[in-house]
Amino acid sequence: MKARRFGVALLLVGFGLGPVAPAPAVAAPSDGRQFKQGYQDGFDRGLQAARDDCEKPARAETFKITDYTRGYVLGFDRGFDAGAADYCPID
């Protein structure tokens, strides 16, 4: 469990320290709605994955990074961890 948390923390640090490209002039306003929706969807799916079989599915490496996908990835990991604590047997 600690190794999974360390991996999630390392992933978040990597996202935070990565190079930042300038936003194009026609970019949508970043008010957080897409991130929040992605987080909510990801949390729900992670919780459901923990309920179903207690195995975290492999993440695809070919998705486009957007505010929605950042929120989804973060929400999925947190939702799965929360569901695993409630639904998965401790070895």
Side-chain angles (χ1 to χ4, degrees):
M1 187 59 116
K2 288 182 181 182
R4 183 182 298 157
R5 287 184 188 157
F6 178 74
V8 170
L10 189 60
L11 178 69
L12 292 176
V13 168
F15 274 127
L17 297 178
V20 177
V26 294
S30 62
D31 58 358
R33 283 183 283 183
Q34 291 294 322
F35 181 86
K36 289 177 187 175
Q37 185 62 48
Y39 184 89
Q40 182 179 0
D41 292 346
F43 190 90
D44 293 342
R45 294 289 296 260
L47 196 61
Q48 187 63 40
R51 269 189 220 140
D52 290 344
D53 60 6
C54 291
E55 286 192 34
K56 188 181 279 190
R59 187 178 307 146
E61 298 294 328
T62 59
F63 57 85
K64 181 179 177 185
I65 300 296
T66 63
D67 283 344
Y68 179 85
T69 55
R70 280 188 188 107
Y72 186 91
V73 168
L74 182 63
F76 186 89
D77 289 339
R78 289 188 179 171
F80 187 86
D81 290 343
D86 291 339
Y87 300 111
C88 299
I90 298 173
D91 295 325

